[in-house]
Amino acid sequence: MFTSPRLHKLCNAHLPGAKNIYDDTGIEEKKTWVSGDWDTIIERDPDLIVLVDASWDWADEKIFHLCSNEKLRNLRAVQNRAFIVVPFSASTLGVRIGSLAFNLAEAMTALIQGEALPSLEFSTENGRVLGKSGVRVMEKLPMWNGTDLDELCPGSSSPIQLRDDIPLDEAFELQIGELQDELDEKNKVLQDTIKEKEALEVEKAELGEMMTVMTDELNESNAAVSMDDLRLMSIGLGLLGFIVMM
């Protein structure tokens, strides 16, 4: 790596807004790996550096070379210790690359924008933040061949925060609980409405009975008036007949 850097085209690294410093040279159209040169890297001064870790090409050794070289140690990413380490086994096509791309995007956002990482995907271990895919973000640099990289490298690491995310099953339970509360409230309103309707029906029935009683009383009153009229008419006719006979 030190004499001739090999650049890895990591899948979906552009998702958090990242841009490969070699994107204008056609790296996206080339194979997974491509050779680069330090002069271009120094000129373009990247914000962060993703280091692929393998048993034959350790990421810690790469950090040692970046920090011990007089020119490379002045890179913005080195000064800010903006290093993300990914395992070689997860960086090639396979079942782990989807999880790697997801964690890599989150790690980039955490380093550059200072956003907290989700505790469901990341945990802290010995001064480093470790993702489920194997992605590592180091708050404290490790030892390499007896050299304390934390003392060798310039600058200082930015603190990485983890946010307390709710597990998916608990989130579902919480959502179900909220929906149940909403359903209970609506059911209560419905029951109150039913009770009001039943009360109105009772009141309507009572009014109907009162109307029936009043109608019957009115009919009886009209009948009584009619009988009185007939009596008066009979008396009147009788008197008329008496007068005529007289």
Side-chain angles (χ1 to χ4, degrees):
M1 173 196 170
F2 182 65
T3 57
S4 179
R6 295 191 67 209
L7 307 176
H8 190 291
K9 185 183 70 175
L10 287 163
C11 179
N12 291 339
H14 64 282
L15 291 181
K19 183 179 180 181
N20 197 306
I21 62 171
Y22 280 89
D23 69 336
D24 61 342
T25 63
I27 188 174
E28 296 298 330
E29 301 171 1
K30 296 181 180 181
K31 297 180 180 180
T32 302
W33 292 89
V34 63
S35 295
D37 63 271
W38 289 116
D39 290 336
T40 301
I41 294 175
I42 293 172
E43 177 186 349
R44 302 192 177 189
D45 197 13
D47 292 301
L48 62 84
I49 298 174
V50 179
L51 304 169
V52 178
D53 192 31
S55 59
W56 62 91
D57 196 15
W58 297 107
D60 293 350
E61 182 181 7
K62 297 173 186 179
I63 295 175
F64 170 79
H65 289 307
L66 286 169
C67 294
S68 58
N69 183 277
E70 289 300 323
K71 292 184 178 179
L72 299 182
R73 65 185 283 115
N74 291 320
L75 288 171
R76 177 167 40 199
V78 177
Q79 290 284 330
N80 294 330
R81 300 186 180 186
F83 304 127
I84 299 177
V85 178
V86 301
F88 174 80
S89 57
S91 67
T92 56
L93 290 178
V95 295
R96 297 176 61 186
I97 197 166
S99 177
L100 173 72
F102 182 68
N103 285 169
L104 183 61
E106 292 178 311
M108 287 180 175
T109 304
L111 276 178
I112 301 305
Q113 299 180 9
E115 294 187 10
L117 289 169
S119 59
L120 293 178
E121 288 291 326
F122 291 85
S123 59
T124 56
E125 179 183 312
N126 298 326
R128 62 183 182 179
V129 179
L130 182 64
K132 288 184 176 180
S133 64
V135 168
R136 284 186 288 144
V137 183
M138 290 173 286
E139 290 187 303
K140 185 179 187 307
L141 298 182
M143 299 284 293
W144 173 253
N145 276 352
T147 300
D148 187 347
L149 299 181
D150 209 42
E151 294 183 0
L152 174 66
C153 288
S156 59
S157 302
S158 300
I160 303 297
Q161 302 295 328
L162 296 184
R163 64 175 185 262
D164 293 328
D165 285 354
I166 301 176
L168 196 58
D169 53 349
E170 292 184 14
F172 279 143
E173 290 178 3
L174 181 62
Q175 187 175 13
I176 290 173
E178 292 175 350
L179 290 174
Q180 185 62 51
D181 292 341
E182 184 178 352
L183 182 61
D184 292 342
E185 182 64 27
K186 289 184 177 180
N187 186 55
K188 182 179 180 300
V189 173
L190 179 61
Q191 293 300 324
D192 291 342
T193 302
I194 292 174
K195 289 180 180 179
E196 290 178 1
K197 183 178 179 181
E198 291 175 348
L200 288 174
E201 290 292 337
V202 171
E203 187 176 351
K204 180 180 178 181
E206 292 175 350
L207 288 174
E209 291 178 0
M210 291 178 60
M211 289 293 295
T212 301
V213 171
M214 293 177 64
T215 301
D216 292 342
E217 291 178 351
L218 181 61
N219 290 335
E220 290 177 0
S221 177
N222 288 336
V225 171
S226 297
M227 291 298 295
D228 291 340
D229 290 343
L230 287 174
R231 292 192 188 96
L232 290 174
M233 187 178 295
S234 298
I235 295 172
L237 289 174
L239 290 174
L240 181 60
F242 177 75
I243 293 172
V244 170
M245 290 180 63
M246 291 294 293

